[in-house]
Short mmCIF file of all heavy atoms in Angstrom, two decimals:
data_model
loop_
_atom_site.label_atom_id
_atom_site.label_comp_id
_atom_site.label_asym_id
_atom_site.label_seq_id
_atom_site.Cartn_x
_atom_site.Cartn_y
_atom_site.Cartn_z
N THR I 1 0.84 -1.18 0.00
CA THR I 1 0.00 0.00 0.00
C THR I 1 0.88 1.24 0.00
O THR I 1 2.04 1.19 0.35
CB THR I 1 -0.92 0.04 1.23
OG1 THR I 1 -0.10 0.12 2.38
CG2 THR I 1 -1.82 -1.16 1.26
N GLY I 2 0.31 2.39 -0.35
CA GLY I 2 1.04 3.65 -0.35
C GLY I 2 1.48 4.04 -1.74
O GLY I 2 1.40 3.27 -2.69
N THR I 3 1.98 5.25 -1.85
CA THR I 3 2.43 5.80 -3.12
C THR I 3 3.78 5.22 -3.51
O THR I 3 4.66 5.11 -2.68
CB THR I 3 2.54 7.33 -3.03
OG1 THR I 3 1.27 7.84 -2.70
CG2 THR I 3 3.03 7.94 -4.32
N VAL I 4 3.94 4.88 -4.75
CA VAL I 4 5.23 4.46 -5.28
C VAL I 4 5.75 5.62 -6.13
O VAL I 4 5.11 6.02 -7.10
CB VAL I 4 5.11 3.18 -6.13
CG1 VAL I 4 6.45 2.83 -6.74
CG2 VAL I 4 4.58 2.04 -5.29
N ALA I 5 6.88 6.18 -5.73
CA ALA I 5 7.44 7.31 -6.47
C ALA I 5 8.31 6.80 -7.60
O ALA I 5 9.12 5.91 -7.42
CB ALA I 5 8.27 8.19 -5.54
N SER I 6 8.14 7.37 -8.78
CA SER I 6 9.02 7.12 -9.90
C SER I 6 10.17 8.09 -9.76
O SER I 6 10.04 9.28 -10.04
CB SER I 6 8.28 7.33 -11.21
OG SER I 6 9.17 7.20 -12.29
N LEU I 7 11.31 7.63 -9.28
CA LEU I 7 12.35 8.52 -8.80
C LEU I 7 13.01 9.42 -9.85
O LEU I 7 13.18 10.59 -9.59
CB LEU I 7 13.41 7.71 -8.05
CG LEU I 7 12.81 6.90 -6.89
CD1 LEU I 7 13.89 6.18 -6.14
CD2 LEU I 7 12.00 7.76 -5.96
N PRO I 8 13.41 8.92 -11.01
CA PRO I 8 14.10 9.84 -11.92
C PRO I 8 13.28 11.07 -12.28
O PRO I 8 13.83 12.15 -12.42
CB PRO I 8 14.39 8.99 -13.14
CG PRO I 8 14.48 7.60 -12.60
CD PRO I 8 13.42 7.56 -11.50
N SER I 9 11.98 10.93 -12.39
CA SER I 9 11.18 12.10 -12.76
C SER I 9 10.74 12.90 -11.54
O SER I 9 10.28 14.02 -11.69
CB SER I 9 9.96 11.66 -13.56
OG SER I 9 9.16 10.79 -12.79
N ALA I 10 10.89 12.36 -10.34
CA ALA I 10 10.37 13.02 -9.16
C ALA I 10 11.45 13.68 -8.30
O ALA I 10 11.15 14.54 -7.50
CB ALA I 10 9.60 12.01 -8.30
N ALA I 11 12.70 13.31 -8.44
CA ALA I 11 13.74 13.79 -7.54
C ALA I 11 14.50 14.97 -8.12
O ALA I 11 14.74 15.06 -9.31
CB ALA I 11 14.72 12.67 -7.22
N THR I 12 14.87 15.89 -7.24
CA THR I 12 15.71 17.01 -7.62
C THR I 12 16.77 17.22 -6.54
O THR I 12 16.56 16.89 -5.38
CB THR I 12 14.92 18.32 -7.79
OG1 THR I 12 14.27 18.62 -6.55
CG2 THR I 12 13.91 18.23 -8.89
N LEU I 13 17.89 17.77 -6.93
CA LEU I 13 18.94 18.15 -6.00
C LEU I 13 19.04 19.66 -6.04
O LEU I 13 18.95 20.27 -7.09
CB LEU I 13 20.29 17.55 -6.41
CG LEU I 13 20.34 16.04 -6.58
CD1 LEU I 13 21.75 15.62 -6.99
CD2 LEU I 13 19.93 15.33 -5.32
N THR I 14 19.24 20.28 -4.89
CA THR I 14 19.39 21.73 -4.83
C THR I 14 20.83 22.06 -4.48
O THR I 14 21.39 21.50 -3.56
CB THR I 14 18.46 22.34 -3.77
OG1 THR I 14 17.13 21.98 -4.10
CG2 THR I 14 18.59 23.85 -3.73
N GLN I 15 21.40 22.97 -5.23
CA GLN I 15 22.78 23.38 -5.01
C GLN I 15 22.92 24.82 -5.49
O GLN I 15 22.42 25.18 -6.54
CB GLN I 15 23.71 22.45 -5.78
CG GLN I 15 25.16 22.74 -5.63
CD GLN I 15 26.03 21.67 -6.30
OE1 GLN I 15 25.55 20.73 -6.89
NE2 GLN I 15 27.31 21.86 -6.22
N VAL I 16 23.61 25.64 -4.70
CA VAL I 16 23.89 27.00 -5.12
C VAL I 16 25.21 26.95 -5.87
O VAL I 16 26.27 26.72 -5.27
CB VAL I 16 23.97 27.95 -3.91
CG1 VAL I 16 24.30 29.35 -4.36
CG2 VAL I 16 22.67 27.92 -3.13
N VAL I 17 25.16 27.13 -7.19
CA VAL I 17 26.35 26.95 -8.01
C VAL I 17 26.30 27.86 -9.23
O VAL I 17 25.28 28.44 -9.56
CB VAL I 17 26.47 25.50 -8.53
CG1 VAL I 17 26.67 24.53 -7.42
CG2 VAL I 17 25.27 25.12 -9.36
N MET I 18 27.44 27.93 -9.88
CA MET I 18 27.50 28.55 -11.20
C MET I 18 26.95 27.53 -12.19
O MET I 18 26.98 26.32 -11.94
CB MET I 18 28.95 28.89 -11.55
CG MET I 18 29.63 29.80 -10.55
SD MET I 18 28.85 31.40 -10.44
CE MET I 18 29.49 32.15 -11.90
N ALA I 19 26.45 27.97 -13.32
CA ALA I 19 25.80 27.08 -14.29
C ALA I 19 26.70 25.94 -14.73
O ALA I 19 26.23 24.83 -14.94
CB ALA I 19 25.34 27.87 -15.50
N ASP I 20 28.01 26.18 -14.86
CA ASP I 20 28.90 25.13 -15.35
C ASP I 20 29.31 24.12 -14.27
O ASP I 20 30.05 23.19 -14.54
CB ASP I 20 30.14 25.74 -16.00
CG ASP I 20 30.97 26.57 -15.04
OD1 ASP I 20 30.46 26.96 -13.98
OD2 ASP I 20 32.14 26.83 -15.36
N THR I 21 28.82 24.29 -13.04
CA THR I 21 29.14 23.33 -11.98
C THR I 21 27.89 22.70 -11.38
O THR I 21 27.94 22.14 -10.29
CB THR I 21 29.97 23.99 -10.86
OG1 THR I 21 29.21 25.06 -10.31
CG2 THR I 21 31.30 24.50 -11.37
N ALA I 22 26.78 22.78 -12.07
CA ALA I 22 25.54 22.18 -11.58
C ALA I 22 25.70 20.67 -11.45
O ALA I 22 26.44 20.05 -12.21
CB ALA I 22 24.40 22.50 -12.53
N PRO I 23 25.03 20.05 -10.46
CA PRO I 23 25.14 18.60 -10.30
C PRO I 23 24.58 17.86 -11.51
O PRO I 23 23.64 18.32 -12.15
CB PRO I 23 24.33 18.31 -9.05
CG PRO I 23 23.48 19.49 -8.81
CD PRO I 23 24.13 20.65 -9.48
N ILE I 24 25.19 16.72 -11.81
CA ILE I 24 24.76 15.86 -12.91
C ILE I 24 24.37 14.52 -12.31
O ILE I 24 25.19 13.86 -11.67
CB ILE I 24 25.89 15.67 -13.93
CG1 ILE I 24 26.30 17.02 -14.54
CG2 ILE I 24 25.47 14.67 -15.01
CD1 ILE I 24 27.58 16.95 -15.35
N ILE I 25 23.12 14.10 -12.49
CA ILE I 25 22.64 12.81 -11.99
C ILE I 25 22.77 11.78 -13.11
O ILE I 25 22.27 12.00 -14.21
CB ILE I 25 21.18 12.91 -11.52
CG1 ILE I 25 21.06 13.90 -10.36
CG2 ILE I 25 20.64 11.54 -11.13
CD1 ILE I 25 19.64 14.23 -9.97
N THR I 26 23.44 10.66 -12.80
CA THR I 26 23.60 9.61 -13.81
C THR I 26 22.72 8.40 -13.54
O THR I 26 22.40 7.66 -14.46
CB THR I 26 25.07 9.17 -13.93
OG1 THR I 26 25.54 8.74 -12.65
CG2 THR I 26 25.94 10.31 -14.43
N ALA I 27 22.33 8.15 -12.27
CA ALA I 27 21.50 6.98 -11.98
C ALA I 27 20.78 7.11 -10.65
O ALA I 27 21.27 7.78 -9.73
CB ALA I 27 22.36 5.72 -11.96
N PHE I 28 19.60 6.48 -10.58
CA PHE I 28 18.84 6.29 -9.34
C PHE I 28 18.71 4.78 -9.16
O PHE I 28 18.26 4.09 -10.08
CB PHE I 28 17.42 6.86 -9.47
CG PHE I 28 17.36 8.35 -9.52
CD1 PHE I 28 17.46 9.01 -10.72
CD2 PHE I 28 17.20 9.07 -8.35
CE1 PHE I 28 17.38 10.38 -10.77
CE2 PHE I 28 17.12 10.45 -8.39
CZ PHE I 28 17.22 11.11 -9.61
N ILE I 29 19.09 4.28 -8.00
CA ILE I 29 19.01 2.85 -7.74
C ILE I 29 18.33 2.64 -6.40
O ILE I 29 18.88 3.04 -5.38
CB ILE I 29 20.42 2.22 -7.74
CG1 ILE I 29 21.13 2.53 -9.05
CG2 ILE I 29 20.33 0.72 -7.49
CD1 ILE I 29 22.62 2.27 -9.01
N PRO I 30 17.11 2.07 -6.38
CA PRO I 30 16.27 1.65 -7.50
C PRO I 30 15.63 2.87 -8.16
O PRO I 30 15.68 3.98 -7.63
CB PRO I 30 15.22 0.77 -6.84
CG PRO I 30 15.04 1.36 -5.47
CD PRO I 30 16.41 1.84 -5.09
N ASP I 31 14.95 2.65 -9.28
CA ASP I 31 14.34 3.78 -10.00
C ASP I 31 12.90 4.02 -9.59
O ASP I 31 12.23 4.87 -10.16
CB ASP I 31 14.45 3.59 -11.51
CG ASP I 31 13.68 2.39 -12.01
OD1 ASP I 31 13.10 1.64 -11.20
OD2 ASP I 31 13.67 2.19 -13.24
N HIS I 32 12.38 3.29 -8.58
CA HIS I 32 11.06 3.54 -8.02
C HIS I 32 11.01 2.90 -6.64
O HIS I 32 11.84 2.04 -6.33
CB HIS I 32 9.95 2.97 -8.92
CG HIS I 32 10.01 1.48 -9.05
ND1 HIS I 32 10.87 0.85 -9.93
CD2 HIS I 32 9.34 0.50 -8.41
CE1 HIS I 32 10.72 -0.45 -9.81
NE2 HIS I 32 9.80 -0.69 -8.90
N GLY I 33 10.11 3.37 -5.82
CA GLY I 33 10.00 2.77 -4.50
C GLY I 33 8.95 3.43 -3.64
O GLY I 33 8.51 4.55 -3.90
N ARG I 34 8.57 2.74 -2.59
CA ARG I 34 7.58 3.24 -1.64
C ARG I 34 8.26 4.14 -0.61
O ARG I 34 9.48 4.18 -0.52
CB ARG I 34 6.91 2.07 -0.94
CG ARG I 34 6.14 1.18 -1.90
CD ARG I 34 5.33 0.15 -1.14
NE ARG I 34 4.68 -0.80 -2.02
CZ ARG I 34 3.63 -0.54 -2.77
NH1 ARG I 34 3.09 0.65 -2.76
NH2 ARG I 34 3.10 -1.46 -3.56
N VAL I 35 7.47 4.83 0.19
CA VAL I 35 7.99 5.67 1.27
C VAL I 35 8.94 4.85 2.12
O VAL I 35 8.65 3.71 2.48
CB VAL I 35 6.83 6.23 2.12
CG1 VAL I 35 7.34 6.90 3.37
CG2 VAL I 35 5.99 7.19 1.30
N GLY I 36 10.10 5.43 2.41
CA GLY I 36 11.11 4.77 3.24
C GLY I 36 12.12 3.95 2.47
O GLY I 36 13.11 3.49 3.04
N THR I 37 11.90 3.76 1.16
CA THR I 37 12.85 3.00 0.35
C THR I 37 14.18 3.74 0.27
O THR I 37 14.20 4.92 -0.09
CB THR I 37 12.31 2.78 -1.08
OG1 THR I 37 11.09 2.05 -1.01
CG2 THR I 37 13.30 2.04 -1.95
N PRO I 38 15.30 3.08 0.59
CA PRO I 38 16.60 3.72 0.41
C PRO I 38 16.90 3.88 -1.08
O PRO I 38 16.58 3.00 -1.88
CB PRO I 38 17.60 2.73 1.04
CG PRO I 38 16.78 1.79 1.84
CD PRO I 38 15.41 1.78 1.22
N VAL I 39 17.48 5.01 -1.44
CA VAL I 39 17.79 5.31 -2.84
C VAL I 39 19.23 5.77 -2.94
O VAL I 39 19.66 6.66 -2.20
CB VAL I 39 16.87 6.42 -3.39
CG1 VAL I 39 17.20 6.72 -4.85
CG2 VAL I 39 15.40 6.02 -3.25
N LEU I 40 19.96 5.16 -3.86
CA LEU I 40 21.33 5.58 -4.17
C LEU I 40 21.26 6.46 -5.41
O LEU I 40 20.70 6.05 -6.43
CB LEU I 40 22.19 4.34 -4.45
CG LEU I 40 23.62 4.61 -4.92
CD1 LEU I 40 24.45 5.22 -3.80
CD2 LEU I 40 24.25 3.33 -5.42
N ILE I 41 21.79 7.67 -5.31
CA ILE I 41 21.86 8.58 -6.46
C ILE I 41 23.33 8.73 -6.80
O ILE I 41 24.14 9.08 -5.94
CB ILE I 41 21.26 9.96 -6.13
CG1 ILE I 41 19.80 9.82 -5.66
CG2 ILE I 41 21.35 10.89 -7.34
CD1 ILE I 41 19.20 11.11 -5.13
N THR I 42 23.68 8.44 -8.05
CA THR I 42 25.07 8.60 -8.48
C THR I 42 25.15 9.69 -9.52
O THR I 42 24.18 10.01 -10.20
CB THR I 42 25.63 7.28 -9.06
OG1 THR I 42 24.86 6.91 -10.20
CG2 THR I 42 25.61 6.17 -8.03
N GLY I 43 26.32 10.28 -9.62
CA GLY I 43 26.53 11.35 -10.59
C GLY I 43 27.83 12.07 -10.36
O GLY I 43 28.81 11.48 -9.91
N GLU I 44 27.81 13.37 -10.62
CA GLU I 44 29.00 14.21 -10.49
C GLU I 44 28.62 15.54 -9.85
O GLU I 44 27.47 15.96 -9.90
CB GLU I 44 29.59 14.50 -11.87
CG GLU I 44 29.97 13.28 -12.67
CD GLU I 44 30.40 13.65 -14.08
OE1 GLU I 44 30.81 14.81 -14.32
OE2 GLU I 44 30.30 12.78 -14.95
N ARG I 45 29.61 16.18 -9.25
CA ARG I 45 29.48 17.55 -8.71
C ARG I 45 28.46 17.66 -7.59
O ARG I 45 27.71 18.63 -7.51
CB ARG I 45 29.13 18.52 -9.83
CG ARG I 45 30.10 18.53 -10.98
CD ARG I 45 29.64 19.49 -12.05
NE ARG I 45 30.47 19.40 -13.22
CZ ARG I 45 30.08 19.73 -14.43
NH1 ARG I 45 28.86 20.18 -14.64
NH2 ARG I 45 30.89 19.63 -15.45
N PHE I 46 28.40 16.69 -6.68
CA PHE I 46 27.45 16.72 -5.57
C PHE I 46 27.98 17.47 -4.34
O PHE I 46 27.25 17.58 -3.36
CB PHE I 46 27.08 15.30 -5.15
CG PHE I 46 26.25 14.52 -6.14
CD1 PHE I 46 26.03 13.18 -5.95
CD2 PHE I 46 25.67 15.11 -7.25
CE1 PHE I 46 25.26 12.42 -6.83
CE2 PHE I 46 24.91 14.39 -8.15
CZ PHE I 46 24.70 13.04 -7.94
N VAL I 47 29.18 17.98 -4.37
CA VAL I 47 29.81 18.57 -3.18
C VAL I 47 28.96 19.67 -2.54
O VAL I 47 28.79 19.71 -1.33
CB VAL I 47 31.22 19.10 -3.50
CG1 VAL I 47 31.79 19.88 -2.33
CG2 VAL I 47 32.13 17.93 -3.83
N GLY I 48 28.36 20.55 -3.30
CA GLY I 48 27.59 21.66 -2.74
C GLY I 48 26.10 21.40 -2.60
O GLY I 48 25.34 22.32 -2.32
N VAL I 49 25.65 20.17 -2.78
CA VAL I 49 24.21 19.87 -2.69
C VAL I 49 23.71 20.16 -1.28
O VAL I 49 24.30 19.74 -0.29
CB VAL I 49 23.93 18.40 -3.08
CG1 VAL I 49 22.50 18.01 -2.76
CG2 VAL I 49 24.20 18.18 -4.56
N THR I 50 22.61 20.93 -1.19
CA THR I 50 22.06 21.32 0.10
C THR I 50 20.70 20.69 0.39
O THR I 50 20.22 20.76 1.51
CB THR I 50 21.91 22.86 0.18
OG1 THR I 50 21.06 23.30 -0.89
CG2 THR I 50 23.27 23.54 0.10
N SER I 51 20.07 20.07 -0.61
CA SER I 51 18.81 19.38 -0.36
C SER I 51 18.52 18.38 -1.46
O SER I 51 19.02 18.49 -2.57
CB SER I 51 17.64 20.37 -0.24
OG SER I 51 17.31 20.91 -1.50
N VAL I 52 17.71 17.39 -1.09
CA VAL I 52 17.17 16.40 -2.04
C VAL I 52 15.67 16.44 -1.87
O VAL I 52 15.16 16.42 -0.74
CB VAL I 52 17.72 14.99 -1.74
CG1 VAL I 52 17.05 13.95 -2.64
CG2 VAL I 52 19.24 14.95 -1.89
N ARG I 53 14.94 16.53 -2.98
CA ARG I 53 13.48 16.62 -2.93
C ARG I 53 12.88 15.67 -3.96
O ARG I 53 13.45 15.48 -5.02
CB ARG I 53 13.02 18.04 -3.22
CG ARG I 53 13.47 19.03 -2.19
CD ARG I 53 13.09 20.47 -2.58
NE ARG I 53 13.52 21.39 -1.57
CZ ARG I 53 12.78 21.77 -0.52
NH1 ARG I 53 11.56 21.28 -0.38
NH2 ARG I 53 13.25 22.60 0.37
N PHE I 54 11.72 15.14 -3.62
CA PHE I 54 10.95 14.29 -4.52
C PHE I 54 9.66 15.04 -4.81
O PHE I 54 8.80 15.15 -3.94
CB PHE I 54 10.65 12.94 -3.88
CG PHE I 54 11.89 12.09 -3.68
CD1 PHE I 54 12.73 12.28 -2.59
CD2 PHE I 54 12.22 11.12 -4.61
CE1 PHE I 54 13.86 11.52 -2.42
CE2 PHE I 54 13.36 10.34 -4.44
CZ PHE I 54 14.17 10.55 -3.35
N ASN I 55 9.55 15.62 -6.02
CA ASN I 55 8.41 16.47 -6.39
C ASN I 55 8.14 17.52 -5.32
O ASN I 55 6.99 17.75 -4.92
CB ASN I 55 7.16 15.64 -6.67
CG ASN I 55 7.12 15.16 -8.09
OD1 ASN I 55 7.89 15.60 -8.94
ND2 ASN I 55 6.23 14.26 -8.39
N GLY I 56 9.20 18.15 -4.84
CA GLY I 56 9.09 19.23 -3.87
C GLY I 56 9.09 18.79 -2.42
O GLY I 56 9.20 19.62 -1.52
N THR I 57 8.97 17.50 -2.14
CA THR I 57 8.96 17.00 -0.77
C THR I 57 10.40 16.74 -0.33
O THR I 57 11.10 15.93 -0.94
CB THR I 57 8.15 15.68 -0.67
OG1 THR I 57 6.83 15.93 -1.15
CG2 THR I 57 8.10 15.19 0.76
N PRO I 58 10.86 17.44 0.73
CA PRO I 58 12.25 17.25 1.17
C PRO I 58 12.50 15.83 1.68
O PRO I 58 11.61 15.20 2.26
CB PRO I 58 12.41 18.26 2.31
CG PRO I 58 11.14 19.01 2.42
CD PRO I 58 10.13 18.39 1.52
N ALA I 59 13.72 15.36 1.44
CA ALA I 59 14.12 14.03 1.89
C ALA I 59 15.44 14.12 2.63
O ALA I 59 16.32 14.91 2.25
CB ALA I 59 14.27 13.09 0.69
N PRO I 60 15.62 13.32 3.68
CA PRO I 60 16.91 13.29 4.36
C PRO I 60 17.95 12.67 3.41
O PRO I 60 17.60 11.84 2.57
CB PRO I 60 16.66 12.38 5.56
CG PRO I 60 15.56 11.47 5.12
CD PRO I 60 14.69 12.32 4.21
N PHE I 61 19.20 13.09 3.54
CA PHE I 61 20.22 12.50 2.67
C PHE I 61 21.60 12.57 3.30
O PHE I 61 21.85 13.38 4.18
CB PHE I 61 20.22 13.19 1.30
CG PHE I 61 20.81 14.58 1.30
CD1 PHE I 61 22.13 14.79 0.92
CD2 PHE I 61 20.05 15.68 1.68
CE1 PHE I 61 22.66 16.08 0.93
CE2 PHE I 61 20.56 16.96 1.68
CZ PHE I 61 21.89 17.16 1.30
N LEU I 62 22.45 11.69 2.84
CA LEU I 62 23.87 11.70 3.18
C LEU I 62 24.64 11.76 1.87
O LEU I 62 24.30 11.08 0.90
CB LEU I 62 24.27 10.43 3.94
CG LEU I 62 23.65 10.25 5.31
CD1 LEU I 62 23.98 8.85 5.85
CD2 LEU I 62 24.15 11.32 6.27
N ARG I 63 25.66 12.60 1.84
CA ARG I 63 26.50 12.71 0.64
C ARG I 63 27.83 12.05 0.93
O ARG I 63 28.42 12.25 1.99
CB ARG I 63 26.71 14.19 0.28
CG ARG I 63 27.51 14.38 -0.99
CD ARG I 63 27.74 15.84 -1.30
NE ARG I 63 28.21 16.62 -0.19
CZ ARG I 63 29.47 16.65 0.25
NH1 ARG I 63 30.39 15.90 -0.33
NH2 ARG I 63 29.82 17.41 1.26
N PHE I 64 28.29 11.22 0.00
CA PHE I 64 29.58 10.55 0.11
C PHE I 64 30.44 11.03 -1.05
O PHE I 64 30.25 10.62 -2.19
CB PHE I 64 29.41 9.03 0.06
CG PHE I 64 28.61 8.50 1.23
CD1 PHE I 64 27.24 8.34 1.12
CD2 PHE I 64 29.24 8.22 2.43
CE1 PHE I 64 26.50 7.86 2.20
CE2 PHE I 64 28.51 7.74 3.51
CZ PHE I 64 27.13 7.57 3.40
N GLY I 65 31.34 11.97 -0.75
CA GLY I 65 32.19 12.52 -1.80
C GLY I 65 31.38 13.36 -2.76
O GLY I 65 30.32 13.89 -2.43
N SER I 66 31.88 13.46 -3.97
CA SER I 66 31.22 14.32 -4.96
C SER I 66 30.34 13.55 -5.93
O SER I 66 29.77 14.15 -6.84
CB SER I 66 32.27 15.09 -5.75
OG SER I 66 33.09 14.18 -6.47
N SER I 67 30.18 12.22 -5.72
CA SER I 67 29.46 11.45 -6.73
C SER I 67 28.40 10.49 -6.19
O SER I 67 27.77 9.79 -6.98
CB SER I 67 30.46 10.65 -7.57
OG SER I 67 31.17 9.74 -6.74
N ILE I 68 28.18 10.46 -4.88
CA ILE I 68 27.18 9.54 -4.33
C ILE I 68 26.34 10.23 -3.27
O ILE I 68 26.87 10.88 -2.37
CB ILE I 68 27.85 8.29 -3.71
CG1 ILE I 68 28.58 7.48 -4.79
CG2 ILE I 68 26.82 7.42 -3.00
CD1 ILE I 68 29.40 6.34 -4.24
N ILE I 69 25.02 10.06 -3.37
CA ILE I 69 24.08 10.51 -2.35
C ILE I 69 23.18 9.32 -2.02
O ILE I 69 22.74 8.60 -2.92
CB ILE I 69 23.22 11.70 -2.84
CG1 ILE I 69 24.09 12.95 -2.92
CG2 ILE I 69 22.01 11.92 -1.93
CD1 ILE I 69 23.40 14.16 -3.47
N VAL I 70 22.94 9.12 -0.73
CA VAL I 70 22.00 8.10 -0.28
C VAL I 70 20.85 8.83 0.42
O VAL I 70 21.08 9.71 1.25
CB VAL I 70 22.66 7.10 0.69
CG1 VAL I 70 21.64 6.10 1.21
CG2 VAL I 70 23.81 6.38 -0.01
N THR I 71 19.63 8.51 0.04
CA THR I 71 18.45 9.18 0.58
C THR I 71 17.34 8.15 0.80
O THR I 71 17.52 6.96 0.52
CB THR I 71 17.99 10.30 -0.37
OG1 THR I 71 16.93 11.04 0.23
CG2 THR I 71 17.54 9.77 -1.72
N LEU I 72 16.22 8.60 1.31
CA LEU I 72 15.04 7.76 1.50
C LEU I 72 13.87 8.43 0.80
O LEU I 72 13.76 9.67 0.83
CB LEU I 72 14.69 7.61 2.98
CG LEU I 72 15.74 6.97 3.87
CD1 LEU I 72 15.31 7.06 5.33
CD2 LEU I 72 15.98 5.54 3.47
N VAL I 73 12.99 7.65 0.19
CA VAL I 73 11.77 8.22 -0.39
C VAL I 73 10.96 8.77 0.79
O VAL I 73 10.63 8.04 1.71
CB VAL I 73 10.95 7.17 -1.15
CG1 VAL I 73 9.64 7.76 -1.63
CG2 VAL I 73 11.75 6.61 -2.32
N PRO I 74 10.67 10.09 0.78
CA PRO I 74 9.98 10.69 1.92
C PRO I 74 8.46 10.49 1.88
O PRO I 74 7.88 10.30 0.82
CB PRO I 74 10.32 12.18 1.77
CG PRO I 74 10.43 12.37 0.29
CD PRO I 74 11.04 11.08 -0.22
N ARG I 75 7.84 10.58 3.05
CA ARG I 75 6.38 10.56 3.13
C ARG I 75 5.88 11.77 2.34
O ARG I 75 6.42 12.85 2.44
CB ARG I 75 5.94 10.65 4.58
CG ARG I 75 4.44 10.54 4.77
CD ARG I 75 4.04 10.39 6.22
NE ARG I 75 4.78 9.37 6.96
CZ ARG I 75 4.52 8.06 6.92
NH1 ARG I 75 3.56 7.61 6.13
NH2 ARG I 75 5.24 7.21 7.62
N GLY I 76 4.88 11.59 1.53
CA GLY I 76 4.34 12.67 0.72
C GLY I 76 4.94 12.73 -0.69
O GLY I 76 4.50 13.52 -1.51
N ALA I 77 5.91 11.87 -0.97
CA ALA I 77 6.50 11.85 -2.32
C ALA I 77 5.48 11.32 -3.31
O ALA I 77 4.64 10.49 -2.97
CB ALA I 77 7.75 10.97 -2.34
N SER I 78 5.57 11.81 -4.53
CA SER I 78 4.67 11.33 -5.58
C SER I 78 5.46 11.17 -6.87
O SER I 78 6.54 11.72 -7.01
CB SER I 78 3.53 12.34 -5.80
OG SER I 78 4.05 13.58 -6.21
N SER I 79 4.90 10.43 -7.79
CA SER I 79 5.56 10.27 -9.09
C SER I 79 5.44 11.57 -9.87
O SER I 79 4.49 12.31 -9.72
CB SER I 79 4.91 9.14 -9.88
OG SER I 79 5.17 7.91 -9.24
N GLY I 80 6.43 11.82 -10.69
CA GLY I 80 6.42 13.06 -11.46
C GLY I 80 6.39 12.85 -12.92
O GLY I 80 6.48 11.82 -13.46
#
């Protein structure tokens, strides 16, 4: 039961950066999940990321270096 978020279309990263240093997302693992599902986001330029959101709903996250973020699908997330 509950909403299953389609992550690639629903997730965003927020970072205050110059245009040429914006974060680049290369993968979401898994690419969908229910509230509480752990999600691995891989890519580049994650150093300045200040938030992770799923269709505007904030999610807790941990950043590992400049290329990995681990988060959870938050309550209230929806497919985008």
